[in-house]
């Protein structure tokens, strides 16, 4: 038998498929194998087996060995991989890598095992004890200990008694040693979250609606309407019917509560997959799923590739979240993969959000998706009242602090009543740009064409694209002036000012700088959840689905920030963000409040969000996008060219443009826009960036295919050319 093996060479963008003899290795479709490759050995995946090869028998080498006890990739995984390979025009090797924890491929992690010791069963304990010579008290103690406690880890016995006495007993044949796997379990010390609840009527009909429909279901439920409980019920029903489940959340480290609710309901049946785990934890959780020991996978977008068979349901929570789009190759959209995976395995697909993507809601309205709506909060209280603070008025009044008078007053009230507040702002660091007031010089990163951010705690300038750090300026390098201005407001500055306003309040800060390590988010959220602080200040991270019963006030410092991104989705982002952050307030007994600070209080997106009026936001947004041909009424496609060599980037762009132009001429009437230019950020990590930008309204599938092959054809070691479709960030 012959195996077709995809050789897993990390640096190669192209698939290398070779025939090997299976011999006695036992390899089957889906096996990971070690094969001879040139003068070396390398890893590969068997993607096909057959009786014959085009190559003569004596030219074929044999597989050296199979790596895992069972094939790492299931039939369904392989079918899904094939789909992704075709759809995103990525190499099979890079697609297959998505299905395994990266550490597994390098062979650096293995099962962790330990030796356990118990008493031999065929010898009576009395005769063991009577045979031991006088003075060997430790041996007696070991036997008695094992008699009482049963099987014990060898290392514990050795430490408690002595290695020599244990060895002596072993030599007598009194002890049996077994090697057993030790599971490395992530987040062991999570709190138990909540018991079983009686579903509200809205929750019940949402569950039923999902079960009855054979289409994917969009659950549009206001914040606090109990969507998570609906997911749990659906998962429970799925598991009871003998099937498995995948639940995706935007960023697992930000939503420990969801995971702990799942774990307290389903125990060891759920496994967590996410990049923040240690290599060993990832490995063990992955294998628990692959071996069907765990039947529920929870994680961020990559958990869509969980090695589960017999899948019954896929749930995508907060389906509008940007984190569901991969920004590295293969650039996939999680929802597209989920749709395909659901189809391949006959599983249900559920998308949930308080603020669905315009695309998703349109699909629900068109009947492509089933729609379930939940309009009431579980606690029966109305959604928190949002009041607008017009910051132009504040400036006129001479208030130059980051807080409006309204917000200060509400904060005061909240603290006095013993409740908690969340302050949200859109940026991190102490301030934004560093500008010379005399000549206008702006400090920029040497590797990337972006301005640097000042971080007060470390007194350094940081580049948020490549992570480079620079000394803070003492004088302007251009004109020598010492009058350097840090414009803007960041989380650190807000904390400093809050400390001055409310010296007795305990304040926590959560942003990328305070949450570098694995369980950083957990720690901060846990402390806040335990009411060890009064105010939580943070960026996007505080907007996610947290459920803190004592939070009754949310302050949104700069609601405008995201309105002015040069992106057709900036309105949608703003609406989603405001709704999400506001939704953190008043989730339990007390009515919540939100103060939204803005310089453009009349902006229709903001006024819609203040009234929680998704429909009017949606209607307006759809009308605008339809009239101007933006997605979902067209596709925004960007062909990117990146290279450290600027002239190579430019010449490649020219070639790409010539080829793309032919496509554009062939499908002339399908294009709304077509041009080439420098990318908005002209250089990142020392790579120059150029782009072709198009907007395509018809014949999209055919044009897309041609663009992908243009990009793949121009990619080489020195220059990278790739296609982005409706990219979520346009740097
Ligand atoms: P959402 O995900 O829609 O924002 P959650 O699922 O987090 O809402 O629910 C909000 C709160 O209400 C949680 O604390 C949850 O435990 C609680 N909850 C949900 N459903 C019920 C119910 N049927 N009865 C009582 N409490 C519930
Ligand atoms: Zn200057
Ligand atoms: Zn940089």
């Amino acid at each position: 038998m012959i195996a077709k093996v995809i050789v897993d060479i990390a640096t190669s963008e192209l698939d290398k498929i070779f025939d090997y003899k299976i011999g006695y290795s036992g390899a089957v479709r889906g096996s990971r194998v070690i094969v001879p490759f040139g003068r070396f050995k390398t890893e590969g995946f068997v993607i096909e087996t057959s009786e014959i090869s085009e190559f003569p028998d004596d030219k074929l080498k044999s597989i050296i060995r199979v790596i895992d006890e069972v094939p790492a990739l299931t039939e369904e995984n392989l079918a899904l991989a094939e789909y992704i390979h075709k759809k995103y025009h990525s190499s099979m090797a890079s697609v297959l890598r998505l299905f395994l924890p990266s550490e597994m491929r390098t062979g650096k992690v293995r099962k962790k095992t330990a030796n356990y010791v118990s008493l031999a069963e065929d010898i009576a304990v009395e005769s063991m004890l009577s045979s031991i010579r006088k003075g060997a008290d430790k041996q007696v103690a070991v036997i008695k200990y094992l008699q009482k406690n049963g099987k014990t880890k060898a290392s514990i016995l050795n430490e408690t008694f002595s290695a020599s006495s244990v060895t002596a007993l072993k030599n007598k044949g009194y002890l049996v040693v077994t090697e057993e796997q030790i599971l490395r379990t992530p987040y062991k010390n999570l709190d138990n979250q909540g018991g079983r609840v009686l579903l509200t009527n809205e929750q019940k009909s949402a569950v039923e609606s999902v079960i009855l429909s054979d289409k994917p279901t969009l659950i549009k439920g206001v914040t606090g309407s109990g969507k998570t409980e609906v997911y749990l019920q659906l998962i429970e029903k799925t598991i009871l019917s003998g099937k498995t489940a995948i639940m995706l959340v935007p960023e697992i480290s930000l939503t420990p509560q969801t995971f702990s609710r799942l774990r307290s309901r389903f125990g060891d049946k759920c496994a967590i997959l996410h990049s923040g785990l240690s290599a060993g934890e990832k490995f063990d959780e992955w294998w628990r799923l692959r071996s069907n020991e765990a039947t529920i996978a929870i994680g961020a977008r990559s958990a869509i590739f969980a090695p589960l068979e017999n899948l019954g349901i896929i749930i995508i929570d907060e389906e509008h979240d940007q984190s569901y789009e991969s920004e590295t190759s293969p650039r996939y959209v999680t929802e597209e993969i989920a749709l395909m995976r659901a189809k391949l395995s006959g599983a249900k697909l559920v998308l949930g959000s308080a603020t669905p993507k315009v695309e998703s809601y349109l699909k629900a309205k068109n009947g492509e998706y089933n729609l379930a709506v939940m309009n009431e909060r579980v606690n029966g209280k109305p959604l928190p009242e949002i009041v607008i603070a017009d910051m132009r008025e504040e400036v006129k009044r001479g208030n130059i602090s980051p807080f409006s008078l309204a917000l200060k007053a509400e904060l005061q009230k909240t603290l006095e009543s013993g409740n908690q507040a969340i302050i949200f702002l859109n940026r991190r660091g102490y301030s934004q740009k560093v500008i010379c007031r005399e000549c206008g010089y702006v400090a920029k990163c040497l590797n990337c064409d972006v301005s640097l951010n000042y971080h007060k705690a470390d007194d350094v300038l940081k580049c948020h694209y490549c992570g480079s750090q620079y000394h803070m300026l003492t004088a302007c390098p251009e004109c020598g002036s010492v009058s350097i201005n840090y414009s803007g407001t960041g989380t650190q500055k807000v904390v400093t000012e809050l400390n001055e306003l409310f010296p007795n309040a305990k304040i926590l800060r959560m942003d990328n700088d305070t949450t570098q390590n694995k369980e950083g988010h957990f720690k901060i959220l846990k402390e806040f959840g335990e009411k060890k602080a009064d105010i939580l200040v943070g960026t996007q991270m505080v907007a996610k689905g947290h459920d803190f019963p004592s939070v009754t006030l949310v302050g949104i410092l700069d609601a405008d920030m995201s309105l002015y991104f040069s992106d057709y989705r900036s309105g949608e982002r703003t609406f989603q963000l405001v709704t999400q952050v506001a939704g953190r307030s008043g989730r339990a007994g007390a009515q919540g409040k939100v103060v939204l600070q803005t310089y453009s209080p009349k902006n229709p997106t903001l006024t819609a969000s203040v009234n929680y009026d998704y429909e009017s936001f949606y209607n307006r947004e759809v009308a605008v996008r339809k009239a101007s041909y933006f997605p979902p009424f067209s596709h925004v496609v960007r062909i990117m060219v990146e290279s450290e060599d600027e002239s190579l980037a430019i010449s490649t762009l020219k070639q790409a443009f010539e080829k793309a132009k032919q496509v554009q001429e062939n499908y002339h009437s399908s294009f709304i826009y077509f041009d080439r230019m420098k990318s908005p950020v002209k250089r990142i990590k020392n790579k120059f960036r150029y782009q072709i930008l198009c907007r395509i309204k018809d014949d999209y599938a055919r044009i897309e295919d041609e663009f992908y092959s243009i990009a793949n054809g121009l990619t080489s070691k020195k220059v990278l050319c790739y296609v982005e479709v409706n990219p979520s960030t346009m740097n």
Side-chain angles (χ1 to χ4, degrees):
M1 285 287 278
I2 304 298
K4 298 211 176 293
V5 175
I6 289 205
V7 177
D8 190 11
I9 301 172
T11 52
S12 168
E13 285 293 315
L14 299 174
D15 282 331
K16 294 200 165 63
I17 305 180
F18 296 94
D19 286 5
Y20 287 92
K21 285 190 244 185
I22 293 180
Y24 294 108
S25 70
V28 294
R29 194 165 126 86
S31 297
R32 287 198 305 151
V33 291
I34 305 276
V35 290
F37 188 72
R39 289 185 294 125
F40 304 97
K41 288 189 232 169
T42 185
E43 274 184 27
F45 296 99
V46 176
I47 51 155
E48 212 57 81
T49 57
S50 75
E51 299 287 342
I52 42 164
S53 169
E54 302 162 29
F55 301 95
D57 196 65
D58 57 334
K59 287 264 188 285
L60 292 179
K61 293 181 180 166
S62 294
I63 288 173
I64 297 173
R65 66 180 178 89
V66 171
I67 299 175
D68 313 299
E69 290 155 31
V70 288
L73 298 164
T74 64
E75 279 299 322
E76 194 238 81
N77 284 171
L78 285 163
L80 189 59
E82 191 62 40
Y83 161 81
I84 299 169
H85 165 64
K86 291 225 174 75
K87 165 126 186 110
Y88 299 102
H89 298 250
S90 326
S91 70
M92 255 320 243
S94 69
V95 173
L96 292 174
R97 273 175 223 144
L98 295 169
F99 288 84
L100 299 173
S102 54
E103 293 82 357
M104 229 168 112
R105 290 181 22 245
T106 51
K108 285 197 189 107
V109 280
R110 273 166 233 283
K111 282 187 182 161
K112 188 177 171 189
T113 56
N115 285 336
Y116 282 78
V117 177
S118 53
L119 290 175
E121 283 178 2
D122 49 355
I123 306 173
V125 176
E126 290 72 36
S127 61
M128 287 185 194
L129 289 171
S130 59
S131 79
I132 287 171
R133 69 174 167 81
K134 273 230 157 59
D137 296 346
K138 280 191 183 152
Q139 292 186 32
V140 173
V142 171
I143 293 175
K144 288 195 168 154
Y145 181 91
L146 286 173
Q147 190 182 16
K148 183 164 167 234
N149 297 294
K151 195 190 291 174
T152 303
K153 219 172 172 177
S155 57
I156 293 179
L157 284 184
N158 291 342
E159 263 171 45
T160 322
F161 306 98
S162 74
S164 60
S165 51
V166 174
T167 310
L169 290 169
K170 237 189 285 177
N171 292 341
K172 287 181 186 145
Y174 292 174
L175 303 184
V176 181
V177 182
T178 47
E179 190 185 12
E180 289 182 20
Q181 188 182 0
I182 299 187
L183 287 176
R184 291 153 286 196
T185 313
Y187 306 116
K188 270 189 216 132
N189 43 8
L190 274 184
D191 295 337
N192 205 337
Q193 287 267 336
R196 198 163 283 276
V197 293
L198 271 182
L199 292 193
T200 64
N201 285 335
E202 279 191 335
Q203 286 174 319
K204 265 190 226 149
S205 30
V207 170
E208 250 151 50
S209 174
V210 171
I211 290 171
L212 292 178
S213 177
D214 47 15
K215 296 176 194 166
T217 299
L218 173 66
I219 300 182
K220 177 172 171 287
V222 299
T223 54
S225 60
K227 293 185 288 297
T228 313
E229 197 54 44
V230 170
Y231 306 147
L232 293 184
Q233 290 272 343
L234 287 167
I235 292 173
E236 181 162 54
K237 287 192 197 304
T238 307
I239 301 304
L240 284 176
S241 74
K243 295 196 168 172
T244 62
I246 295 177
M247 174 155 167
L248 305 182
V249 290
E251 225 181 299
I252 190 83
S253 49
L254 297 178
T255 44
Q257 286 166 334
T258 310
F259 181 55
S260 48
R261 274 161 83 177
L262 218 66
R263 193 187 263 170
S264 39
R265 183 76 62 94
F266 303 109
D268 291 344
K269 285 271 160 238
C270 50
I272 188 169
L273 295 174
H274 97 85
S275 56
L277 304 184
S278 73
E281 289 169 344
K282 264 189 235 173
F283 181 87
D284 288 354
E285 292 290 89
W286 191 89
W287 272 108
R288 288 202 311 119
L289 291 163
R290 180 67 189 92
S291 60
N292 214 30
E293 213 177 289
T295 49
I296 305 163
I298 178 170
R301 65 166 181 261
S302 62
I304 192 64
F305 303 108
L308 286 165
E309 287 177 288
N310 201 11
L311 191 64
I313 195 165
I314 302 171
I315 292 165
I316 307 185
D317 186 25
E318 312 282 12
E319 63 89 37
H320 62 274
D321 199 275
Q322 259 173 275
S323 68
Y324 289 123
E325 284 162 48
S326 164
E327 285 177 0
T328 52
S329 176
R331 293 179 168 71
Y332 62 87
V333 177
T334 310
E335 191 177 324
E336 289 173 349
I337 294 180
L339 276 164
M340 181 46 70
R341 186 156 189 185
K343 198 165 146 196
L344 287 171
S345 57
K348 293 200 172 290
L349 175 61
V350 174
L351 310 168
S353 175
T355 50
K357 293 193 292 291
V358 167
E359 281 91 336
S360 307
Y361 200 52
L362 182 69
K363 282 185 189 171
K365 294 222 151 183
N366 288 343
E368 199 175 321
Y369 286 172
N370 170 44
L371 180 66
V373 180
M374 292 158 65
N375 284 326
E376 304 284 323
R377 281 197 149 186
V378 174
N379 66 5
K381 297 264 176 344
L383 288 161
E385 183 198 355
I386 307 183
V387 292
I388 287 189
D390 184 345
M391 295 309 277
R392 296 170 309 182
E393 294 299 319
E394 301 284 330
V395 175
K396 274 189 212 154
R397 266 189 237 153
N399 175 12
I400 51 154
S401 93
F403 313 107
S404 58
L405 294 181
L407 182 55
K408 278 186 213 167
E410 289 297 335
L411 271 169
Q412 183 77 39
K413 266 198 250 170
T414 306
L415 294 174
E416 276 165 11
S417 64
N419 285 316
Q420 292 176 296
I422 291 179
I423 301 289
F424 167 77
L425 83 173
N426 239 333
R427 289 165 281 186
R428 68 187 174 108
Y430 187 84
S431 68
Q432 294 290 87
K433 292 173 189 169
V434 176
I435 301 173
C436 169
R437 281 192 213 181
E438 306 252 331
C439 76
Y441 165 88
V442 176
K444 286 191 166 181
C445 176
L446 295 177
N447 308 319
C448 316
D449 190 44
V450 295
S451 46
L452 295 168
N453 293 260
Y454 180 54
H455 288 248
K456 192 186 177 204
D458 317 321
D459 192 34
V460 290
L461 299 171
K462 283 189 196 171
C463 168
H464 288 182
Y465 282 87
C466 73
S468 297
Q469 297 198 8
Y470 302 82
H471 290 297
M472 179 51 190
L473 301 178
T474 45
C476 171
E478 295 281 315
C479 74
S481 159
V482 290
S483 109
I484 308 275
N485 186 37
Y486 332 144
S487 61
T489 307
T491 41
Q492 285 185 22
K493 186 168 175 198
V494 169
V495 171
T496 313
E497 303 231 351
L498 278 174
N499 273 326
E500 278 164 25
L501 280 174
F502 306 105
N504 296 324
K506 174 123 189 354
I507 300 163
L508 281 172
R509 174 164 74 96
M510 180 152 122
D511 56 27
N512 279 333
D513 296 326
T514 58
T515 52
Q516 304 261 310
N517 63 353
K518 179 176 106 189
E519 294 189 14
H521 303 103
F522 271 61
K523 223 180 117 240
I524 296 173
L525 293 170
K526 195 160 187 277
E527 274 182 49
F528 192 63
E530 288 166 355
K531 291 192 77 172
K532 289 186 182 147
D534 307 298
I535 306 174
L536 176 64
V537 176
T539 50
Q540 261 73 344
M541 301 174 182
V542 301
K544 310 278 165 164
H546 314 303
D547 190 32
F548 297 116
S550 294
V551 171
T552 53
L553 175 66
V554 164
I556 303 174
L557 292 195
D558 43 10
D560 308 325
M561 273 303 289
S562 53
L563 275 178
Y564 302 114
F565 288 152
S566 50
D567 178 348
Y568 69 93
R569 278 180 290 203
S570 56
E572 181 174 359
R573 293 268 154 71
T574 306
F575 186 86
Q576 286 162 349
L577 210 52
V578 170
T579 312
Q580 290 297 327
V581 200
R584 300 314 112 213
S585 180
R587 292 175 73 86
Q591 166 72 23
K593 192 147 201 177
V594 179
V595 178
L596 184 151
Q597 301 188 164
T598 172
Y599 289 91
S600 39
K602 295 266 154 30
N603 179 286
T605 303
L606 287 183
T607 43
S609 67
V610 164
N611 298 318
Y612 298 103
D613 192 351
Y614 181 87
E615 294 295 322
S616 93
F617 150 75
Y618 168 84
N619 288 332
R620 202 177 152 272
E621 190 70 30
V622 162
V624 169
R625 292 202 202 170
K626 198 167 189 173
S628 52
Y629 289 111
F630 270 99
F633 305 98
S634 71
H635 287 81
V636 173
V637 179
R638 178 159 84 148
I639 305 178
M640 284 294 300
V641 177
E642 295 181 0
S643 175
E644 287 189 14
D645 176 346
E646 183 164 25
S647 58
L648 181 60
I650 293 172
S651 65
T652 309
L653 178 80
K654 264 198 191 126
Q655 283 176 284
F657 188 72
E658 286 313 314
K659 291 179 190 220
K661 198 159 171 49
Q662 273 169 18
V663 179
Q664 188 247 355
E665 278 161 12
N666 292 343
Y667 296 92
H668 195 263
S669 62
S670 302
F671 280 76
I672 320 277
Y673 180 89
F674 179 76
D675 206 355
R676 62 178 159 170
M677 65 213 68
K678 281 184 174 176
S679 300
V681 180
K682 293 165 202 81
R683 203 157 50 109
I684 294 182
K685 294 184 187 163
N686 264 331
K687 284 194 173 138
F688 293 90
R689 309 169 80 241
Y690 287 82
Q691 66 188 36
I692 298 168
L693 198 59
C694 352
R695 225 153 72 236
I696 303 162
K697 66 177 160 77
D698 309 307
D699 294 312
Y700 170 69
R702 274 185 281 170
I703 295 169
E704 179 194 30
D705 275 350
E706 301 212 25
F707 280 178
Y708 274 113
S709 54
I710 292 172
N712 284 345
L714 290 172
T715 292
S716 68
K717 276 205 174 108
K718 295 223 160 101
V719 57
L720 180 63
C721 188
Y722 59 89
V723 176
E724 288 179 332
V725 182
N726 300 340
S728 57
T729 43
M730 267 295 210
N731 292 325

